[in-house]
């Protein structure tokens, strides 16, 4: 399901409170993943959904510092696709998330950094493609979409992780 976990931790081990670094008590929403779960420090190839100023100015440098390669970008705006091409000359650029997910079969994760009203679609598309998803906050403001995210991520053994933007 939808669970936070630390950078060097799989979704199998003890979870930590976001920002506190201490184990959180087990409880609701604390299902365990199988041992083969991908840890965040093993994510090396990602796709970006959305390429706004925060993706370009903050996420790219953070990803580079972790040696994570952005293989693909989905961005509906022509101007922002051009910016993605300038910043990521080796990445493949798409204007549609369906095209990205059908062509990019080797991504470790999808990072959703589109405007919040589009988060639910990006997250669910990634889950349905069997890809782990990191998403800027909020995941969604729609309780029904959140329930879908919980159900579908659990049934597909895909992790969805909400990240804060501190740029």
């Amino acid at each position: 399901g939808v669970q936070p976990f630390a950078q060097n931790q799989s979704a199998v081990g003890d979870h930590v409170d976001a920002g506190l670094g201490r184990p959180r008590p087990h409880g609701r929403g604390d299902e365990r993943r199988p041992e083969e779960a991908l840890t965040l420090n093993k994510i090396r190839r990602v796709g970006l959904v959305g390429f706004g100023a925060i993706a370009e100015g903050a996420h790219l440098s953070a990803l580079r510092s972790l040696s994570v390669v952005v293989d693909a970008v989905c961005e509906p705006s022509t101007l922002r696709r051009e910016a993605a091409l300038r910043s990521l000359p080796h990445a493949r650029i798409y204007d549609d998330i369906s095209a990205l997910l059908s062509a990019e079969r080797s991504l470790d994760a999808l990072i959703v950094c589109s405007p919040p009203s589009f988060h639910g679609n990006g997250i669910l598309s990634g889950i349905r493609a069997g890809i782990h998803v990191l998403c800027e906050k909020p995941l969604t403001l729609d309780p029904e979409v959140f329930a879908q995210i919980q159900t579908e991520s659990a049934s597909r053994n895909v992790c969805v992780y909400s990240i804060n933007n501190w740029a």
Side-chain angles (χ1 to χ4, degrees), residues 62-141:
L63 292 168
R64 286 179 179 133
S65 74
L66 297 169
S67 300
V68 174
V69 176
V70 177
D71 280 343
V73 175
C74 169
E75 172 55 59
S77 163
T78 302
L79 290 176
R80 297 310 304 161
R81 283 196 306 273
E82 291 169 0
L85 276 171
R86 287 190 300 276
S87 295
L88 299 160
H90 300 296
R92 289 165 300 282
I93 311 297
Y94 301 87
D95 63 359
D96 178 77
I97 193 168
S98 301
L100 182 149
L101 291 171
S102 66
E104 304 293 333
R105 300 290 185 165
S106 61
L107 298 176
D108 297 318
L110 194 65
I111 301 176
V112 178
C113 36
S114 59
S117 61
F118 300 104
H119 286 180
N121 180 57
I123 294 167
L124 288 168
S125 294
I127 291 169
R128 291 169 183 159
I131 300 173
H132 300 294
V133 180
L134 286 80
C135 182
E136 294 177 342
K137 64 176 182 71
L139 289 179
T140 181
L141 297 176

Side-chain angles (χ1 to χ4, degrees), residues 49-64:
V49 177
F51 196 77
I54 298 300
E56 185 174 23
H59 294 323
L60 286 186
S61 62
L63 292 168
R64 286 179 179 133

